[in-house]
Amino acid sequence: MEGMMSFKISNNSTAAATTKGKKDELYHVIHKVPSGDTPYVRAKHAQLVEKDPEAAIVLFWKAINAGDRVDSALKDMAVVMKQLDRTEEAIEAIKSFRGLCSKQAQDSLDNVLIDLYKKCGKIEEQIDLLKRKLRLIYQGAAFNGRQTKTARSHGKKFQVSVKQETSRLLGNLGWAYMQKGNYMMAEVVYRKAQMIDPDSNKACNLGLSLIKQGRYEDAQLVLEDVLQSRLPGADETKSRRRAHELLMELRSIHDPPESVDLLGLDDDFVKGLEQLMNEWGPFRSKRLPIFEEISQFRDQVAC
């Protein structure tokens, strides 16, 4: 009898431990926090469960100093700092401590830096970093030589091709040039992006860059491609609404365009992109006609 009771108690203890283990596992899945009791785990708990970003930052610092999952700790800390409008501090943290991170983490840290530069209006730094990332691609140094990489968004993993990443970076670069007021370079970059991986959002931005240059007919053609559902994403309400608003703005414009900086193009950078695209295969045009016009203009200036 005593043996049977002991066996039952043992079974009950095992069952209780199993149930507790399942509850702990479920808890971590629901709150998306790792298991354990390290500084990084406590930081994620403060960030995601307790909703205490200040405490999370302190614990992320402890994780970095302790060498505890430094790749994730530095990136996550920068994201939390951005949410608290401590953008400059986040930038300095990444620049100072990215040397402690693995080679595989550098691309993700660059992406966080781009978002930080964008938020605090550091346009030149944003442009420089985007161009550096694009140069790595057309030098064959990105993605560790592979044609795809695994990316993560909102907790979901998916595959991104080199062409998709190039188009995404070009889209960000085009918008940075728009903020700088270099609408001609923005146009060139957006056209390159559309030749690689077209979508309606970049088409709207391309249309805006053409409007800013006073090239209203060209802008109308680009925007009508969105409204006529000729591009991926054209069925999205947001893109169609924006294209419609830009067309309405276009039809109400009567003033002459702002002066355009014809010397604002980065020829070396564009040539690198063209070389990359030629390696991928023939596109509609190897060189945009606008470059020939600019070359002639520069020759006239030189004379």
Side-chain angles (χ1 to χ4, degrees):
M1 180 68 74
E2 289 180 2
M4 291 179 64
M5 288 179 63
S6 175
F7 178 73
K8 286 182 180 180
I9 291 172
S10 177
N11 278 348
N12 289 339
S13 299
T14 302
T18 302
T19 301
K20 183 180 183 301
K22 288 182 178 179
K23 285 183 179 179
D24 288 343
E25 183 178 346
L26 183 61
Y27 174 86
H28 294 302
V29 170
I30 291 173
H31 294 287
K32 297 180 181 178
V33 294
S35 57
D37 190 31
T38 66
Y40 178 75
V41 171
R42 293 197 294 273
K44 293 300 289 183
H45 189 276
Q47 177 193 2
L48 300 174
V49 180
E50 298 173 4
K51 308 295 184 184
D52 187 345
E54 296 287 355
I57 289 173
V58 172
L59 289 165
F60 279 132
W61 273 124
K62 288 184 178 180
I64 293 168
N65 291 327
D68 177 24
R69 300 178 69 166
V70 179
D71 292 2
S72 298
L74 181 57
K75 184 180 71 172
D76 292 346
M77 182 179 71
V79 171
V80 175
M81 285 178 171
K82 177 188 172 187
Q83 293 169 350
L84 295 177
D85 291 325
R86 293 166 60 177
T87 312
E88 298 278 357
E89 187 179 349
I91 291 171
E92 288 306 313
I94 291 178
K95 287 182 175 180
S96 299
F97 292 93
R98 67 183 306 166
L100 300 176
C101 299
S102 67
K103 183 179 178 181
Q104 292 74 21
Q106 300 303 318
D107 186 58
S108 295
L109 290 172
D110 280 343
N111 290 333
V112 175
L113 264 182
I114 289 169
D115 286 340
L116 293 169
Y117 287 148
K118 187 184 300 183
K119 181 166 184 179
C120 64
K122 292 181 177 291
I123 299 173
E124 289 295 339
E125 289 86 345
Q126 185 184 348
I127 289 174
D128 288 344
L129 182 51
L130 286 165
K131 287 165 70 173
R132 181 167 66 81
K133 287 174 70 67
L134 284 162
R135 285 192 181 98
L136 288 175
I137 289 177
Y138 65 68
Q139 289 170 358
F143 287 27
N144 295 318
R146 297 191 297 269
Q147 289 301 305
T148 61
K149 73 171 183 178
T150 301
R152 185 188 296 270
S153 178
H154 303 293
K156 295 182 179 179
K157 292 183 179 180
F158 56 95
Q159 291 295 307
V160 177
S161 69
V162 172
K163 289 185 179 181
Q164 288 172 327
E165 179 70 357
T166 303
S167 182
R168 183 187 73 82
L169 292 171
L170 285 171
N172 287 338
L173 181 59
W175 188 247
Y177 278 122
M178 291 289 290
Q179 303 310 300
K180 191 179 177 182
N182 190 341
Y183 304 120
M184 181 176 286
M185 193 63 191
E187 178 205 346
V188 172
V189 170
Y190 278 129
R191 286 195 186 278
K192 297 293 185 187
Q194 290 296 82
M195 291 166 71
I196 297 169
D197 187 31
D199 66 52
S200 294
N201 181 53
K202 289 194 292 288
C204 289
N205 291 336
L206 172 59
L208 179 58
S209 74
L210 292 166
I211 291 172
K212 293 292 187 180
Q213 294 178 69
R215 295 166 55 194
Y216 305 136
E217 291 183 4
D218 291 342
Q220 183 171 341
L221 291 173
V222 170
L223 295 171
E224 283 178 350
D225 280 345
V226 178
L227 293 177
Q228 296 298 323
S229 300
R230 296 177 186 139
L231 294 169
D235 294 332
E236 295 178 5
T237 304
K238 184 178 178 181
S239 294
R240 294 181 67 84
R241 186 190 306 121
R242 185 159 180 244
H244 179 74
E245 289 172 354
L246 286 171
L247 275 176
M248 291 299 100
E249 176 185 337
L250 183 58
R251 289 164 186 164
S252 67
I253 291 176
H254 301 290
D255 297 328
E258 301 175 14
S259 60
V260 177
D261 180 11
L262 289 175
L263 301 179
L265 289 176
D266 185 344
D267 275 353
D268 290 338
F269 175 71
V270 175
K271 285 176 183 176
L273 286 174
E274 289 176 346
Q275 181 182 348
L276 173 68
M277 294 169 69
N278 289 338
E279 290 175 1
W280 283 340
F283 287 90
R284 289 188 298 253
S285 171
K286 287 189 176 180
R287 186 168 178 86
L288 294 174
I290 190 70
F291 286 117
E292 302 305 328
E293 297 173 15
I294 292 167
S295 298
Q296 294 171 12
F297 176 82
R298 282 180 170 155
D299 291 340
Q300 293 171 7
V301 171
C303 295

